[in-house]
Amino acid sequence: PSEVRPHSSVTSQVAGTASGRALLAAFLRSVDIFEEVSEASLEALSLALQPMKFQPGELVIKQGDTEDDMFYIVRDGRLHATVNGRWVKEYGPSDYFGELSLLRRSPRGA
């Protein structure tokens, strides 16, 4: 089965202040799917984000998962996706995954 796991510590931050939200909105601007989104919408989105931290080797998602409806954006660190134990993709800052199962309401593809 396919899996996504970090190979270095992966962290994200939620900013509780206006300046912190602005910094987070600036980070979101670096994510290609948010390039055309307004600043006001990015700041609103920054309020909805949930920070998560994963340790090296910890399972983030697995192919076929249906329990979570999360869309993941890598803030710091690196993750890798495997298929049958073989490394097939690496994710780093500003990369994202999980959008397809969220939009299609279907089991995880990786």
Side-chain angles (χ1 to χ4, degrees):
S2 300
E3 299 178 331
V4 176
R5 296 178 184 264
H7 57 89
S8 63
S9 183
V10 177
T11 60
S12 62
Q13 299 172 3
V14 168
T17 65
S19 62
R21 285 191 304 276
L23 287 172
L24 191 50
F27 165 74
L28 290 173
R29 172 86 46 227
S30 73
V31 179
D32 64 1
I33 61 169
F34 299 128
E35 287 175 348
E36 302 299 320
V37 175
S38 72
E39 289 300 317
S41 293
L42 288 176
E43 285 195 37
L45 179 59
S46 72
L47 291 171
L49 295 178
Q50 297 176 17
M52 302 180 86
K53 183 174 184 170
F54 299 99
Q55 297 302 315
E58 183 178 353
L59 182 64
V60 178
I61 63 171
K62 181 177 66 173
Q63 183 178 11
D65 279 352
T66 57
E67 292 90 36
D68 85 43
D69 57 356
M70 302 289 273
F71 168 67
Y72 297 89
I73 305 169
V74 180
R75 170 87 178 180
D76 299 299
R78 296 229 169 275
L79 296 94
H80 65 272
T82 61
V83 175
N84 297 322
R86 188 175 54 98
W87 208 348
V88 295
K89 182 164 177 77
E90 181 172 278
Y91 298 97
S94 299
D95 288 337
Y96 56 89
F97 56 95
E99 74 283 3
L100 295 178
S101 67
L102 181 62
L103 293 171
R104 295 178 182 166
R105 297 184 184 262
S106 61
R108 296 281 180 194

